[in-house]
């Protein structure tokens, strides 16, 4: 066993970074045995050096992250500061100065993953980022390594714990969106500004990473269709229950049936209660993978939090250190298929549409005609009078599978009808 330690630089010492440092200290002997050499925390870059950080030698703390990653003796840089800059520059600088990198930065990887992978290859170093997608859940490594000999056709998942907590509360208690969000904030699941979570930005970044790995092609954040969940109502959950469904914010990555393109999208969707993802409660994450030979696989667990995310970071650290000792590198980017990313308009799925209409004869026939003219086949229709409005009714239409562009055209025409007072909600139906 090598006695000279592998030196690690830690960028960021917040919730995740402090847990990484703690585990490196408390599990030092186990990590040494697993790696084949000791690992040593050689420096910690922070913004506020005066803050007391339990278990970390103040002499290791610095505000000069650039100088830290340029040190010639650093073997691995762990980046957990997040955001685009200065993280991007620090990672590329670290790679250029001979250090491999472990990152949890989903936003940066979704935006500039190709450039970062290219820099890692250029300098013969590793770039690992298991913690960027689903916290402690092993997902990237199974997709990149365990399923490397298989063909993945679909990845369907709950990849944000905050949104799942909110929707689960709405489902189980009948609470409205704002009430459930307030509870999530009070319990610490939601940030003071929850926009990144509830509007799907966080999940979209993760979808871009998953799609790229699963389909061996480059998918950027801009390629991912994104729709938030702030418009989901208690009435939507009531409709879902009548269909034997619940509602989840899903990240969905699919290979086209002809294999010639892929899609990546994030939006609320109804899923049947008997689907495995329907039973994922609270702030947990779960990802459902469909592969040609392996069949259906599900990965489940805590998707965020200091300790769970640090667990994934340490797993990558062990792998990268082992590669360093073996003078090799692990799997890098696989983008050989170069498949185009199809627009949302080409996506085919089922839809649940709730309309407020005039309560008089002929309305249903008029609405059905519009659907038929756009080639959208109706599966079921339910109409009932509304107690809160004289002469108005609620019309719920569930379609067979249809292209998003066709459905959008249908709804645009429906909005122009005098008999249609408004479109209360449009929800996709997935997982069937």
């Amino acid at each position: 066993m090598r006695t000279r330690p592998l030196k690690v630089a830690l960028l960021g010492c917040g919730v995740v970074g402090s847990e990484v440092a703690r585990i490196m200290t408390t599990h030092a002997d186990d990590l040494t045995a697993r790696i084949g050499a000791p690992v040593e925390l050689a420096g910690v870059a922070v913004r506020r050096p005066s803050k007391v950080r339990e278990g970390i030698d103040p002499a290791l703390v610095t505000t000069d992250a650039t100088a830290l990653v340029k040190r010639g003796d650093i073997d691995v840089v762990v980046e957990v500061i997040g955001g685009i800059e200065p993280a991007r520059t620090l990672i590329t600088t670290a790679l250029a100065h001979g250090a491999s990198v472990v990152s949890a930065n989903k936003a940066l990887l979704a935006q500039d993953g190709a450039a970062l992978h290219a820099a890692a290859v250029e300098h013969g170093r590793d770039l690992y980022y298991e913690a960027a997608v689903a916290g402690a859940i092993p997902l990237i490594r199974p997709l990149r390594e365990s399923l490397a000999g298989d063909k993945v056709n679909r990845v369907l998942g709950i990849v944000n714990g905050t949104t799942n907590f909110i929707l689960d509360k709405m489902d189980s208690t009948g609470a409205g969106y704002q009430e459930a969000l307030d509870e999530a904030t009070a319990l610490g699941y939601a940030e003071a500004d929850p926009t990144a979570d509830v509007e799907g930005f966080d999940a979209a970044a993760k979808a871009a990473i998953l799609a790229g790995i699963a389909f061996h092609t480059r998918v950027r954040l801009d390629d991912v269709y994104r729709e938030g969940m702030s418009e989901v109502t208690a009435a939507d959950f009531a409709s879902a229950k009548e269909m034997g469904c619940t509602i989840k914010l899903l990240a969905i990555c699919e290979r086209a049936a002809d294999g010639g393109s892929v899609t990546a999208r994030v939006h609320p969707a109804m899923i049947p209660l008997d689907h495995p993802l329907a039973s994922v409660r609270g702030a947990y994450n779960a990802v459902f993978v469909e592969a040609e030979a392996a069949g259906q696989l599900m990965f489940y667990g805590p998707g965020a939090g200091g300790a769970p995310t640090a667990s994934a970071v340490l797993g990558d650290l062990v792998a990268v250190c082992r590669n360093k000792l073996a003078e090799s590198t692990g799997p890098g980017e696989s983008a050989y298929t170069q498949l185009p990313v199809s627009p949302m308009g080409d996506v085919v799925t089922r839809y649940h549409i709730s309309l407020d209409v005039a309560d008089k004869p002929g309305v249903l026939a008029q609405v059905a005609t519009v659907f038929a003219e756009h080639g959208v086949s109706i599966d079921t229709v339910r109409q009932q009078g509304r107690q809160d409005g004289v002469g108005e009714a609620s019309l719920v239409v569930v379609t067979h599978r249809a292209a998003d562009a066709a459905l959008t055209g249908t709804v645009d025409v429906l909005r122009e009808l005098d008999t249609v007072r408004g479109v209360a909600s449009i929800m996709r139906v997935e997982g069937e």
Side-chain angles (χ1 to χ4, degrees):
M1 178 179 290
R2 169 175 147 167
T3 57
R4 184 172 67 82
L6 293 161
K7 295 191 175 184
V8 178
L10 180 60
L11 307 183
C13 198
V15 174
V16 176
S18 60
E19 280 295 311
V20 170
R22 182 189 66 79
I23 295 173
M24 285 184 65
T25 301
T26 58
H27 295 181
D29 291 342
D30 287 337
L31 291 173
T32 297
R34 293 166 191 172
I35 292 169
V39 287
E40 174 188 306
L41 189 59
V44 182
V46 300
R47 287 185 298 176
R48 295 184 294 274
S50 59
K51 180 180 177 181
V52 176
R53 294 172 172 85
E54 186 177 350
I56 296 177
D57 183 352
L60 297 178
V61 176
T62 178
T63 58
D64 194 344
T66 301
L68 178 60
V69 300
K70 283 184 175 181
R71 279 175 46 178
D73 62 336
I74 298 297
D75 296 290
V76 183
V77 169
V78 174
E79 182 271 311
V80 288
I81 56 178
I84 305 302
E85 288 291 357
R88 174 171 49 198
T89 299
L90 290 171
I91 288 174
T92 54
T93 301
L95 292 168
H97 284 77
S100 290
V101 173
V102 173
S103 176
N105 196 330
K106 53 188 171 287
L108 178 58
L109 288 158
Q111 178 173 305
D112 290 314
L116 296 179
H117 276 292
V121 171
E122 178 185 356
H123 300 292
R125 296 294 179 262
D126 277 320
L127 174 64
Y128 275 47
Y129 43 90
E130 183 69 65
V133 172
I137 304 172
L139 185 58
I140 289 178
R141 191 170 286 111
L143 284 172
R144 190 165 59 180
E145 299 178 28
S146 303
L147 295 173
D150 206 340
K151 181 180 180 182
V152 176
N153 291 317
R154 195 176 197 222
V155 179
L156 175 78
I158 299 165
V159 295
N160 183 280
T162 299
T163 57
N164 199 58
F165 178 88
I166 293 169
L167 292 174
D168 183 37
K169 280 295 176 182
M170 293 177 70
D171 184 29
S172 60
T173 69
Y177 168 77
Q178 189 61 50
E179 182 183 352
L181 173 59
D182 289 344
E183 182 174 353
T185 303
L187 292 173
Y189 290 121
E191 301 286 346
D193 180 1
T195 302
D197 294 325
V198 300
E199 294 303 330
F201 291 100
D202 175 85
K206 295 171 181 177
I209 296 170
L210 288 174
I213 295 171
F215 307 134
H216 304 279
T217 196
R218 286 178 178 168
V219 180
R220 287 171 48 89
L221 181 58
D222 292 344
D223 296 323
V224 181
Y225 172 83
R226 179 194 54 79
E227 187 179 311
M229 52 169 268
S230 57
E231 300 300 319
V232 176
T233 66
D236 291 326
F237 273 99
S239 293
K241 288 181 179 179
E242 290 180 359
M243 291 179 58
C245 293
T246 188
I247 299 172
K248 299 291 187 181
L249 185 75
L250 298 179
I252 305 171
C253 311
E254 293 179 304
R255 189 190 301 267
D258 63 3
S261 64
V262 299
T263 59
R265 50 197 166 103
V266 169
H267 53 72
M270 295 181 179
I271 58 173
L273 292 174
D274 60 0
H275 192 282
L277 291 178
S279 61
V280 178
R281 312 305 295 268
Y284 275 73
N285 285 192
V287 178
F288 200 71
V289 177
E290 299 176 12
E292 202 164 85
Q296 297 178 333
L297 308 170
M298 183 163 161
F299 302 84
Y300 170 85
T309 304
S311 171
V313 170
L314 266 294
D316 279 350
L317 178 63
V318 169
V320 168
C321 287
R322 286 171 175 170
N323 292 342
K324 183 82 173 181
L325 293 179
E327 298 183 347
S328 65
T329 56
E333 182 188 33
S334 175
Y336 71 92
T337 62
Q338 298 183 2
L339 296 173
V341 181
S342 296
M344 186 62 187
D346 292 347
V347 171
V348 176
T349 189
R350 296 180 68 204
Y351 292 86
H352 176 283
I353 305 103
S354 180
L355 306 171
D356 294 328
V357 299
D359 190 4
K360 63 182 183 180
V363 173
L364 178 57
Q366 189 180 32
V367 169
T369 297
V370 174
F371 276 88
E373 288 175 345
H374 288 80
V376 180
S377 175
I378 293 176
D379 183 16
T380 62
V381 177
R382 185 177 71 257
Q383 181 174 344
Q384 61 184 29
R386 290 178 49 181
Q387 296 179 353
D388 59 346
V390 178
E392 291 190 1
S394 176
L395 187 65
V396 176
V397 178
V398 179
T399 74
H400 289 289
R401 291 174 63 82
D404 186 83
L407 193 283
T408 300
T410 302
V411 172
D412 287 344
V413 174
L414 288 174
R415 293 183 194 275
E416 297 176 358
L417 297 179
D418 292 338
T419 52
V420 176
R421 307 294 193 231
V423 179
S425 70
I426 303 172
M427 188 81 63
R428 296 171 182 85
V429 183
E430 302 285 347
E432 296 184 313

